[in-house]
Amino acid sequence: REPRVARLAYPLGGASRLRLMLDTADLTEWEKFLPLGFFHGITSNPVLMQRAGWPVSMDTVRKLYAKAFTYPGIQEILFQS
């Protein structure tokens, strides 16, 4: 099953500028897509964390959060609970 690669997000204020978000907790996918530089951020949730083999915990969220901002252009990360 292919991961969901992008999601649309709109900045506050209703501007129509498109921002692409990578929707996965799979670091293999991060390595594949984030270096391309066209993603504004990353989104994830407990189901995606489990699918990627991560325990669903605040420690995992902290690790993913720290890793996410090592990639160029990443300005936002959203973890749903």
Side-chain angles (χ1 to χ4, degrees):
R1 178 174 165 183
E2 286 291 317
R4 295 183 336 200
V5 175
R7 170 182 290 181
L8 302 180
Y10 297 95
L12 296 175
S16 61
R17 186 173 56 96
L18 175 69
R19 295 186 301 171
L20 295 176
M21 308 290 282
L22 186 65
D23 193 25
T24 183
D26 185 338
L27 295 183
T28 303
E29 297 298 321
W30 289 21
E31 292 293 329
K32 181 177 177 182
F33 293 109
L34 294 179
L36 299 175
F38 56 78
F39 286 99
H40 176 79
I42 301 165
T43 62
S44 193
N45 62 51
V47 171
L48 295 177
M49 284 189 240
Q50 287 177 328
R51 284 184 189 160
W54 290 99
V56 177
S57 68
M58 285 306 295
D59 187 50
T60 296
V61 169
R62 282 190 218 52
K63 287 176 184 176
L64 292 173
Y65 182 88
K67 178 72 173 167
F69 287 109
T70 66
Y71 290 96
I74 297 302
Q75 298 180 31
E76 184 176 351
I77 187 163
L78 172 68
F79 290 101
Q80 300 168 349
S81 60

